Amino acid sequence: MSTLDLCEKYFETRDVYKLMGIAKDAKEKEIKKAYHKLSLLVHPDRVPDAQKEESTEKFKVLSKIYQVLTDTQKRALFDEQGIIDDDDEGKLTNWLDLWSKIFKPLSEEDISNYEKEYVGSELERTDIKKAYLGGKGCMNYIMNHVPFMKVEDEPRFKEIVATMIAADEVPEYKIFTEEPAAKRNKRHRKYARESKEATIIKERIQRRREKDAEAAQESSGSGNLEQLILSRKNQRESNYNSLMDRLLEKYGGEDDSDTVDFSALDKKRKLKKSKQGQKAAKINGVKSGRVEKPKA
């Protein structure tokens, strides 16, 4: 399948300028910005596992288009004849490498800034419409296909779709307008569980980063990795010895002997039993619930 066929399959157009959302005379800086914006939405590392295969294909198409529009000869060929040369397909085997060479690594701040720009935009509305139609009104499907969507956004999304239904932009699906409470509650529980897990993972990563930073600081301060390792070993041994001292202090009593005399303990047990027997002999016997008196 050619690149233009894939454009039509995944983006519903063969016009690469329309797909990228740019003018036909757009400069390279504008093309790069548009490519970055669109590729963030379909980056294979930023979508659920169920979407990775399709997102990878979309990512490849966008990368190919970027190559065409930033190459003078290839762009001229498309502008004049509407053709994209796919003969050099094998020259770039890793599309992610191209992306990483063009753009800096994403930070949490980058994602947060893009989210603010995306939420409430016309692009988000278009994505909601596509997801609604693609999932035939299934809210679970919509949540998996619209970036940054959370359960807290459901009322806003429902309002947007309701407006589309009223304007006859999309058909009404009962599974959307009359979603069963059990299905909705199950989705909310799943989201709460995943949100909690994500928080735990984030905290672990943060702790690991802090430890790495601390280790790096100690290493640079001493200038000797061997000394750092030896210092940590001594610290562990010191902690262990301190723990053993506290245990001995708590459970060792005043006996400073290194061994336990089990024979002495055995003698004490026998002596105790003997005394108990003598005490029992002095007491009148009890039989069948009655006290037996000694015979005269």
Side-chain angles (χ1 to χ4, degrees):
M1 189 175 289
S2 70
T3 299
L4 291 178
D5 289 337
L6 292 173
C7 286
E8 189 170 15
K9 176 181 178 181
Y10 293 116
F11 300 99
E12 301 177 357
T13 182
R14 299 176 73 88
D15 185 343
V16 297
Y17 292 105
K18 180 180 179 181
L19 190 160
M20 299 289 278
I22 56 177
K24 192 172 182 179
D25 59 350
K27 304 299 182 183
E28 185 170 345
K29 186 177 180 180
E30 297 174 281
I31 298 170
K32 182 178 180 180
K33 183 178 179 181
Y35 171 55
H36 184 235
K37 182 178 180 180
L38 289 174
S39 59
L40 280 177
L41 297 176
V42 297
H43 196 290
D45 292 340
R46 299 183 64 248
V47 298
D49 290 340
Q51 296 176 239
K52 282 190 180 295
E53 185 176 349
E54 181 176 328
S55 293
T56 300
E57 294 305 315
K58 288 181 177 180
F59 193 84
K60 289 180 181 179
V61 172
L62 290 175
S63 299
K64 177 65 178 181
I65 292 173
Y66 174 79
Q67 278 191 311
V68 170
L69 295 181
T70 53
D71 184 286
T72 305
Q73 294 182 349
K74 293 178 181 178
R75 184 173 181 178
L77 178 64
F78 177 79
D79 289 343
E80 294 172 7
Q81 303 182 36
I83 297 173
I84 289 180
D85 184 10
D86 292 319
D87 291 340
D88 61 346
E89 187 72 23
K91 293 182 180 179
L92 185 66
T93 57
N94 194 331
W95 300 91
L96 294 176
D97 284 347
L98 171 66
W99 199 87
S100 61
K101 289 176 182 177
I102 298 172
F103 305 110
K104 65 178 183 178
L106 287 177
S107 66
E108 290 187 16
E109 184 179 1
D110 293 330
I111 296 174
S112 178
N113 290 337
Y114 181 72
E115 180 179 1
K116 292 176 183 177
E117 180 182 343
Y118 175 80
V119 173
S121 67
E122 188 62 29
L123 178 59
E124 183 195 46
R125 188 180 187 279
T126 301
D127 289 341
I128 293 172
K129 181 178 179 179
K130 287 181 180 179
Y132 176 79
L133 294 172
K136 297 188 183 300
C138 176
M139 183 60 79
N140 293 342
Y141 183 92
I142 295 173
M143 287 197 68
N144 287 331
H145 287 75
V146 178
F148 307 115
M149 183 178 177
K150 301 178 284 292
V151 292
E152 294 86 348
D153 297 317
E154 288 184 18
R156 183 173 67 88
F157 276 48
K158 288 182 178 179
E159 185 177 343
I160 293 173
V161 174
T163 303
M164 294 180 183
I165 294 173
D168 292 329
E169 287 185 56
V170 296
E172 179 180 350
Y173 294 111
K174 294 295 182 182
I175 194 174
F176 180 85
T177 56
E178 301 176 11
E179 183 183 32
K183 180 182 178 182
R184 181 171 57 254
N185 293 336
K186 183 178 179 181
R187 179 174 64 253
H188 289 183
R189 287 194 299 270
K190 178 184 177 184
Y191 175 80
R193 183 172 64 253
E194 290 177 348
S195 179
K196 185 177 179 180
E197 291 173 353
T199 301
I200 293 173
I201 292 173
K202 187 175 181 180
E203 290 174 352
R204 287 177 181 172
I205 293 174
Q206 183 61 31
R207 287 195 298 269
R208 189 180 301 118
R209 287 175 178 172
E210 291 174 356
K211 288 182 179 180
D212 291 343
E214 183 181 347
Q217 185 176 3
E218 291 178 1
S219 178
S220 61
S222 64
N224 192 328
L225 181 59
E226 184 177 347
Q227 290 181 2
L228 177 62
I229 296 173
L230 182 60
S231 173
R232 289 188 174 180
K233 179 183 177 183
N234 292 336
Q235 182 63 40
R236 286 195 297 269
E237 291 178 351
S238 175
N239 292 341
Y240 175 77
N241 291 334
S242 177
L243 173 63
M244 294 305 297
D245 289 341
R246 290 197 300 270
L247 291 174
L248 287 172
E249 181 181 351
K250 184 174 181 180
Y251 299 108
E254 297 179 355
D255 188 4
D256 293 328
S257 62
D258 294 329
T259 61
V260 178
D261 189 352
F262 288 101
S263 61
L265 293 176
D266 190 47
K267 288 179 180 179
K268 287 181 180 180
R269 284 196 297 268
K270 289 180 179 179
L271 180 59
K272 187 176 180 180
K273 287 182 180 180
S274 176
K275 288 181 179 180
Q276 289 176 346
Q278 291 175 6
K279 186 176 180 180
K282 293 179 181 180
I283 300 175
N284 291 332
V286 178
K287 186 176 182 180
S288 301
R290 297 192 305 273
V291 176
E292 287 189 352
K293 296 181 179 180
K295 294 181 180 179

